[in-house]
Structures are given as C-alpha cells and as structure tokens.
Amino acid sequence: MGNSGTTSDQQLVDLLARRGPTGVAEMGRATGVTATAVRQRLARLMCAGLIERIAVRSGRGRPSHRYTVTEKARRQAGTNFADLALVLWNEVRAIESPEVRRGLLKRLASAMAQMYGDRVAGDSLESRMGSLQELMGERRVGVELRPAGQERSPTLQIVDCPYPELAERDRGICAVENMLFSELLNTPMRLSQCRLDGHACCQFETR
C-alpha cells in the first residue's frame, strides 16, 4: 500500500511538472482517479513541500485554485548526477602527478565544506558531529554518532556510503570525505575502518 501511494504521488508531481498549474478536475481526468483521491495526494505533497497551491482569478467570482510543483520538487527531479560524477572522477584518477591529484581532491573537499559549513556548528566536537549527522541525514546518508568513552574519542559511523560506485573504483573518494569531515568539524579526522576492507560500515574518528 505504501509503495503504491508513493508511486501515485510521484506520478502527480510528474504530471504537474509537465503541464504547469493544473486544477483538481483536470488532474483527476489525467490520472483516472476521483477528485477526493487527488486532493488526498495533493495534501501529502504540500506537506512535503513538493506542491504549492496558487489562486487564479477570473472575473468577479471566487478565485479558482491551481497546483504546481515547487522549486524543491524541481531540484529533486534533477539530482541524478551519477554518470557525470563517474566521468569526472575518472578524469581525476587519470592525473599522473600525486601532488596535483591530492591538491585537486583537497580543493574539492574545501569547496564542499564551504557549501555546508554554516550548517555545522557547536562548542564541542560532539555537538559539531551532531550537526554533521543531521546534515548527512538530509543528504539521505545514514550516519551514527558514537559518543566518547573512556578509551575512545567520539566517532562517526557511515552506514550508507554516499559514493558507493566511486568508492569501489578508487578509495580516493574516501580521502575526500575525510578531508571534508576534518574541515567541517575543525578537527583532524582519520578513516579508522572501511567497508571496502570487510567492515560493516566506514568509521571516522579523531587522529
């Protein structure tokens, strides 16, 4: 049931993205469902910030309502950059000079840190790690924060690799992620365990 509802919602988003502002009756005819079902889907999508309602006036009567996709929905529809990422990463790997390659990776990590830097804050390392955990969650990357213990520093466990295809081709992407975390947390980090070595997840901790 849940998957069916999600699929139907996405179909409605796709319809509005193609047609622009559309009324409930027209959406019902296009999807073959009742106006009540359309309104239920619209309610879910508006709560998710993917659809917005606009008022259209015609004459002196009450305005009619049309629905259209939001900028958030358009951005989500255009986030499939896997092929481009693979091509660009292969070009990075083709750089023969280790110094030049590492310098480029460092610049990539710094550029990403600038994008996310204002989202990671806190007076302590653990609080900054908590902010980073929330940020990664928004990127749909599962992260678990293990607080400091008597014999260990706080650690970040990356449950879902954000770059699985790239990591399988070259561990250099792990270095980029480590550089990124180090800059965002303002603390030197190291990759203490990696899924590519047979561990359940990747783990980053302070040096």
Side-chain angles (χ1 to χ4, degrees), residues 164 166-171 174 193-199 202:
L166 298 184
E168 291 175 1
R169 291 168 178 255
D170 183 359
R171 294 189 182 215
C174 301
Q193 67 179 41
C194 181
R195 295 181 65 179
L196 297 178
D197 294 325
H199 295 281
C202 293

Side-chain angles (χ1 to χ4, degrees), residues 14-175:
D14 294 341
L15 173 68
L16 294 179
R18 294 193 305 269
R19 295 194 177 187
T22 307
V24 171
E26 185 179 351
M27 281 184 274
R29 289 192 295 271
T31 57
V33 299
T34 65
T36 299
V38 170
R39 291 190 178 94
Q40 290 175 345
R41 295 174 188 176
L42 289 172
R44 289 195 297 268
L45 292 167
M46 285 192 290
C47 286
L50 300 176
I51 296 295
E52 62 183 351
R53 183 173 63 182
I54 56 178
V56 179
R57 289 190 174 276
S58 179
R60 297 184 177 182
R62 296 178 59 184
S64 59
H65 292 107
R66 299 287 186 273
Y67 298 83
T68 188
V69 295
T70 63
E71 184 61 26
K72 177 180 177 180
R74 293 188 185 280
R75 288 181 178 273
Q76 286 188 3
T79 56
N80 184 17
F81 301 126
D83 292 342
L84 177 60
L86 286 173
V87 171
L88 292 175
W89 189 252
N90 286 334
E91 291 301 313
V92 171
R93 293 175 60 202
I95 297 175
E96 295 183 0
S97 170
E99 293 79 10
V100 173
R101 187 166 57 248
R102 181 170 178 80
L104 177 57
L105 296 181
K106 178 65 175 176
R107 290 197 298 274
L108 290 174
S110 295
M112 294 178 67
Q114 290 180 3
M115 291 176 58
Y116 303 131
D118 60 345
R119 299 289 309 279
V120 179
D123 297 329
S124 67
L125 175 59
E126 288 195 18
S127 62
R128 293 194 296 274
M129 281 185 168
S131 295
L132 179 57
Q133 181 184 31
E134 293 180 6
L135 173 62
M136 297 296 283
E138 293 178 8
R139 295 172 62 196
R140 299 181 182 178
V141 177
V143 175
E144 294 180 359
L145 172 59
R146 296 183 62 190
Q150 293 182 347
E151 300 181 356
R152 71 167 187 271
S153 60
T155 61
L156 287 170
Q157 292 187 332
I158 312 301
V159 180
D160 304 309
C161 178
Y163 316 106
E165 291 187 59
L166 298 184
E168 291 175 1
R169 291 168 178 255
D170 183 359
R171 294 189 182 215
I173 194 65
C174 301

Side-chain angles (χ1 to χ4, degrees), residues 5-15 45 50 76-77:
T6 301
T7 301
S8 299
D9 290 352
Q10 186 59 50
Q11 290 173 343
L12 198 58
V13 172
D14 294 341
L15 173 68
L45 292 167
L50 300 176
Q76 286 188 3

